[in-house]
């Protein structure tokens, strides 16, 4: 089965942020209309922050919205590398419920993954949206080559999150992670990717082309996905 992918190209990051924020706002409102609440996973990293700033301005009943980071670095809350801290700063003042995947009580990264999974078992499922970013090395969420790669991609369907020790550690954030599993990502009702720059576009195109045997994690995540995937790209 070939994944159905639609590319949306924009002149610049600001135009992309406006459009993607509009799309996410629509998904949230539709979920609230249909089910009384919305649960979304947002990408970490720097690229999506302008999207979130715009989204937070939307007139949404934020009290009905639960947000989780699609992955996080295992660092204390407030650390500059913490995805939930960046997301929380924007959406907690709006009244949204922002759930951290990383708890400071876990003794090691595997245990951190297990407690994130337990937390997500109590969240309304499936996700209404999973927004992913892509790293220059082709990772998405925190699905990286290393000892946990196979579990992240091919673990049991019920497993929503797990701990990951990337090997090699990514230089921009060289720490262990907690991530949504591929099964959790592809079970979402909507799947979107937002990236900027030629280099990431080339990586993502190659990853999609390579599919299930891709050397890039994102290629493996997207291969044979049953729902359509929207990819938003700005130069
Ligand atoms: C993370 C991410 C990750 C991110 C990419 C791109 O925590 O590392 O969620 O998957 O989307 O690394 O990050 P940038 O947008 O900062 O390049």
């Amino acid at each position: 089965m070939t994944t159905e992918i639609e590319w949306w190209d924009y002149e610049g990051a600001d135009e992309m942020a406006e459009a993607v924020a509009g799309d996410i706002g629509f998904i949230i409102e539709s979920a609230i209309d249909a089910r009384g609440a919305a649960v979304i996973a947002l990408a970490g990293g720097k690229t999506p922050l302008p999207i979130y700033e715009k989204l937070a301005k939307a007139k949404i009943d934020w009290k009905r919205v639960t947000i989780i980071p699609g992955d996080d670095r295992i660092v204390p809350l407030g650390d500059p590398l913490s995805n939930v801290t960046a997301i929380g700063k924007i959406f907690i003042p709006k009244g949204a419920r922002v759930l951290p995947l990383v708890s400071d009580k876990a003794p090691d990264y595997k245990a951190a993954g297990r407690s994130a999974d337990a937390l997500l078992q109590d969240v309304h499922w499936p996700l209404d949206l999973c927004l992913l970013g892509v790293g220059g090395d082709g990772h998405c969420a925190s699905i990286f080559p290393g000892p946990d790669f196979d579990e992240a991609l091919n673990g049991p369907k019920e497993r929503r999150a797990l701990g990951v020790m990337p090997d090699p550690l990514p230089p921009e954030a060289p720490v262990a992670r907690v991530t949504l599993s591929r099964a959790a990502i592809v079970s979402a009702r909507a799947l979107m990717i937002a990236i900027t720059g030629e280099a990431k576009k080339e990586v993502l195109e190659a990853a999609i082309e390579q599919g299930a045997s891709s050397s890039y994690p994102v290629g493996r995540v997207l291969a044979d996905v049953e729902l359509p995937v929207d990819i938003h790209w700005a130069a």
Side-chain angles (χ1 to χ4, degrees):
M1 201 195 125
T2 319
T3 309
E4 195 187 314
I5 289 177
E6 186 153 9
W7 284 82
W8 303 83
D9 293 355
Y10 304 92
E11 294 288 326
D14 198 60
E15 194 186 300
M16 177 174 88
E18 193 75 42
V20 177
D23 288 0
I24 298 177
F26 179 76
I27 289 170
I28 292 174
E29 284 182 336
S30 308
I32 294 175
D33 282 350
R35 288 175 289 284
V39 185
I40 62 171
L42 294 181
K46 301 256 178 287
T47 309
L49 295 176
I51 301 174
Y52 303 159
E53 297 286 357
K54 290 195 197 288
L55 175 62
K57 296 199 180 101
K59 283 198 185 60
I60 285 173
D61 187 359
W62 288 104
K63 291 188 306 301
R64 294 175 182 269
V65 182
T66 298
I67 303 176
I68 58 166
D71 72 305
D72 216 339
R73 294 82 180 257
I74 303 183
V75 292
L77 218 56
D79 189 286
L81 291 181
S82 162
N83 288 335
V84 75
T85 301
I87 292 170
K89 268 189 200 144
I90 298 174
F91 293 104
I92 289 173
K94 296 286 158 187
R97 182 166 76 131
V98 178
L99 298 179
L101 292 185
V102 171
S103 110
D104 50 10
K105 290 186 201 79
D108 56 60
Y109 81 94
K110 291 256 190 208
R114 283 193 295 273
S115 57
D117 186 53
L119 174 93
L120 294 182
Q121 297 297 334
D122 290 334
V123 167
H124 194 277
W125 212 256
L127 294 164
D128 293 299
L129 164 74
C130 181
L131 172 72
L132 296 173
V134 177
D137 57 1
H139 78 270
C140 65
S142 273
I143 301 184
F144 285 93
D148 314 289
F149 196 38
D150 185 58
E151 194 185 350
L153 291 170
N154 306 314
K157 271 207 166 48
E158 318 71 67
R159 169 65 75 89
R160 295 180 182 172
L162 70 156
V164 168
M165 182 63 79
D167 183 12
L169 284 171
E172 72 280 5
V175 292
R177 318 290 187 100
V178 171
T179 186
L180 289 179
S181 62
R182 176 182 185 273
I185 292 169
V186 304
S187 75
R189 294 177 197 269
L191 186 50
M192 281 168 46
I193 295 181
I195 56 167
T196 54
E198 260 329 307
K200 283 189 183 178
K201 184 182 195 184
E202 278 168 27
V203 166
L204 187 50
E205 282 172 345
I208 292 167
E209 177 78 31
Q210 293 162 0
S213 61
S214 180
S215 50
Y216 298 116
V218 66
R220 300 200 186 195
V221 169
L222 293 183
D224 308 319
V225 167
E226 284 172 18
L227 75 166
V229 182
D230 285 310
I231 299 178
H232 299 269
W233 174 80

